[in-house]
């Protein structure tokens, strides 16, 4: 079963969840704003895709950060920022059969769930 992580108010998360429902793919949803961000998941995602992929530098949460927090971001600083504000994660994060996908694209999901 797939598990999707994000926040329920995110349009991209809504699109991904709708796609999963329309394709009858069983999944659970974890809202990391409401339910928290599990440290083990954050660690696994960084190991799988890297902090650069996980950190959303294009979103509102990033734009709201003071310039000094955005300066000289490395892995340690990025993870510290994400722990403080989980909405800095590019959404959604999807886990399925050991694969981790960050963001949503119909093509990417179709490829992942082709079987």
């Amino acid at each position: 079963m797939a598990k999707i992580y994000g926040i329920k108010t995110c349009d991209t998360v809504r699109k991904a969840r709708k796609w999963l429902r329309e394709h009858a793919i069983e999944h659970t949803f974890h809202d990391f704003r409401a339910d928290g961000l599990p440290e083990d998941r954050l660690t696994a995602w960084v190991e799988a895709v890297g902090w650069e992929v996980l950190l959303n530098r294009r979103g509102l949460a990033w734009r709201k950060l003071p310039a000094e927090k955005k300066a000289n971001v490395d892995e340690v600083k990025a993870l510290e920022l994400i722990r403080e504000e989980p909405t800095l994660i590019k959404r959604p994060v999807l886990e399925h059969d050991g694969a981790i996908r960050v963001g949503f694209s119909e093509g990417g999901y179709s490829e992942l769930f082709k079987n």
Side-chain angles (χ1 to χ4, degrees):
M1 178 184 306
K3 186 158 189 174
I4 190 167
Y5 296 82
I7 56 176
K8 63 183 172 186
T9 57
C10 174
D11 288 338
T12 308
V13 171
R14 288 179 181 161
K15 288 177 192 175
R17 293 178 72 194
K18 180 181 178 190
W19 189 95
L20 292 168
R21 283 191 305 273
E22 288 175 349
H23 290 83
I25 296 170
E26 285 188 55
H27 64 282
T28 58
F29 175 65
H30 181 99
D31 185 327
F32 47 66
R33 181 180 282 157
D35 304 322
L37 176 61
E39 183 65 29
D40 66 324
R41 301 320 322 134
L42 179 58
T43 301
W45 300 338
V46 170
E47 287 175 4
V49 302
W51 68 269
E52 298 94 339
V53 171
L54 204 57
L55 181 63
N56 184 3
R57 295 179 195 227
R58 296 174 68 188
L60 182 60
W62 178 261
R63 291 192 303 269
K64 285 183 171 182
L65 288 176
E68 62 272 7
K69 284 197 171 194
K70 295 189 273 189
N72 303 314
V73 175
D74 59 9
E75 182 173 351
V76 171
K77 189 170 180 181
L79 294 179
E80 182 180 299
L81 290 170
I82 288 171
R83 286 182 187 104
E84 289 174 15
E85 183 55 61
T87 58
L88 287 169
I89 293 174
K90 184 176 181 182
R91 303 176 297 266
V93 177
L94 176 76
E95 297 179 342
H96 177 68
D97 284 348
I100 296 173
R101 295 283 169 113
V102 178
F104 170 71
S105 76
E106 288 189 23
Y109 275 37
S110 292
E111 180 67 25
L112 184 62
F113 293 103
K114 66 183 172 189
N115 294 331

